[in-house]
Amino acid sequence: MDLKTFNKRTRVIGILNVTPDSFSDGGLLTDKKTLLIQVETMVSQGVDILDIGGESTRPSADSVDLKKELRRVIPAIKTIRKHFSTPVSVDTTKAEVAEQALAAGANLINDISGLRFDPDMVQVALKYNVPVIIMHMQGTPRTMQQNPEYKDVLSDISAMLLKQIKWAESQGIKKDKIIIDPGIGFGKSLEHNLTILKNIPYFKKLEKPVLIGHSRKSFIQKLLGIKNPKDRDEASAIISALSAAKGASLIRTHDVTRTVQAIKLSESLTGCQISGG
């Protein structure tokens, strides 16, 4: 996967949670038939990358053991690969899950720990020569929303991302194989999330494609009072359009149709395709 092409337009990553307990779609994709229907739908809607996750990272979520995560993720990737050529990212913090996922046909590692939880993750990325998404998270999914604090949210997040970028590159990851994600909702208050979204160009200073993953998250409920996560798709699409206009290279979403439409409108109204990284 060539990240150099990501500066031509904003890419859409479709979320496929093969978990029983994810915050908005847990338990919906736990059999082959429903998974394939959802993948076919996303592909027809214009998704660029499919993101497979087998461990819920919602606030207060418990960790999942390796064998259970493998049982969820690997058959799903193999099933997708039999029918679709769309690039697949594996959403995991475990090197063994990433390795088996890549062997099964995945193309990208999406590590919410920013390569911090498993020291072997970077070697897996090197072995398969795939891009990595380095995300910022304060704490762990179990603790991250327990009163998150920053001296300066933008500089603190940027410093952590830069540290992990430099470490990954020192281990041999090529500069053009790294995507960054400031981690909306991962150890962030409402104000922290809004500050990030208002200042996406700040993170572009790191000279990497920037991913924004705001879809259906609880800060939208705090702003608009929308309790049901699925009812937050319209608001999520508006944020997608604004994020694309500010230079986001990738948008991670549950609702591919609205997101694709939002990005196309954003491109049209700004008079050019969105430059991302």
Side-chain angles (χ1 to χ4, degrees):
M1 183 180 294
D2 185 4
L3 300 188
K4 294 177 182 177
T5 65
F6 278 37
N7 64 354
K8 295 181 179 179
R9 63 180 177 85
T10 302
R11 306 299 173 113
V12 176
I13 302 181
I15 299 168
L16 295 168
N17 287 318
V18 287
T19 60
D21 57 346
S22 291
F23 79 96
S24 79
D25 56 358
L28 298 181
L29 301 175
T30 53
D31 67 82
K32 184 184 297 186
K33 182 178 179 180
T34 54
L35 174 66
L36 286 175
I37 290 172
Q38 181 68 356
V39 171
E40 184 175 14
T41 299
M42 285 185 168
V43 170
S44 69
Q45 292 169 341
V47 78
D48 295 293
I49 300 169
L50 300 164
D51 191 51
I52 305 287
E55 179 176 24
S56 175
T57 54
R58 75 188 192 286
S60 301
D62 291 322
S63 60
V64 172
D65 67 60
L66 174 63
K67 290 183 179 179
K68 184 177 290 185
E69 190 174 346
L70 287 170
R71 286 197 302 269
R72 294 172 178 175
V73 170
I74 306 308
I77 293 174
K78 289 180 177 178
T79 296
I80 292 169
R81 270 294 156 262
K82 287 180 181 179
H83 300 275
F84 300 95
S85 59
T86 305
V88 171
S89 67
V90 57
D91 181 356
T92 186
T93 61
K94 300 180 181 69
E96 181 62 26
V97 174
E99 169 126 32
Q100 292 196 34
L102 295 169
N107 312 92
L108 175 72
I109 297 171
N110 181 10
D111 185 347
I112 65 165
S113 80
L115 307 178
R116 294 179 298 119
F117 288 0
D118 191 330
D120 294 329
M121 185 69 83
V122 70
Q123 297 305 318
V124 173
L126 284 170
K127 177 180 176 179
Y128 288 87
N129 191 32
V130 296
V132 295
I133 298 171
I134 295 176
M135 195 192 82
H136 176 276
M137 175 171 56
Q138 190 177 90
T140 68
R142 187 172 180 82
T143 65
M144 62 189 181
Q145 289 305 104
Q146 297 174 6
N147 193 33
E149 294 183 358
Y150 298 86
K151 291 182 179 179
D152 181 287
V153 65
L154 296 178
S155 62
D156 289 359
I157 292 172
S158 182
M160 176 273 180
L161 291 172
L162 181 59
K163 177 182 177 181
Q164 292 309 107
I165 288 169
K166 289 183 175 180
W167 179 79
E169 290 177 352
S170 75
Q171 298 301 301
I173 300 292
K174 295 179 181 177
K175 293 183 178 181
D176 61 358
K177 293 286 187 183
I178 298 173
I179 297 166
I180 58 172
D181 178 351
I184 296 291
F186 285 83
K188 314 291 191 303
S189 69
L190 171 60
E191 291 302 322
H192 296 150
N193 290 323
L194 294 178
T195 299
I196 292 167
L197 291 169
K198 291 175 184 177
N199 293 279
I200 291 172
Y202 185 94
F203 299 101
K204 288 168 63 63
K205 296 176 184 178
L206 297 175
E207 299 183 339
K208 305 295 181 187
V210 177
L211 184 156
I212 296 295
H214 59 280
S215 181
R216 296 181 179 176
K217 290 189 174 175
S218 61
F219 78 95
I220 298 173
Q221 176 185 353
K222 293 176 182 177
L223 280 172
L224 303 178
I226 304 172
K227 293 184 178 181
N228 186 339
K230 292 181 181 179
D231 291 338
R232 301 171 194 161
D233 285 339
E234 290 85 356
S236 296
I238 293 170
I239 297 169
S240 296
L242 294 170
S243 297
K246 288 179 177 289
S249 297
L250 305 99
I251 302 291
R252 187 174 180 270
T253 183
H254 297 85
D255 186 337
V256 172
T257 292
R258 287 186 177 91
T259 304
V260 169
Q261 291 173 348
I263 290 170
K264 286 182 177 179
L265 284 171
S266 182
E267 291 172 349
S268 298
L269 292 171
T270 55
C272 61
Q273 289 190 320
I274 304 304
S275 177

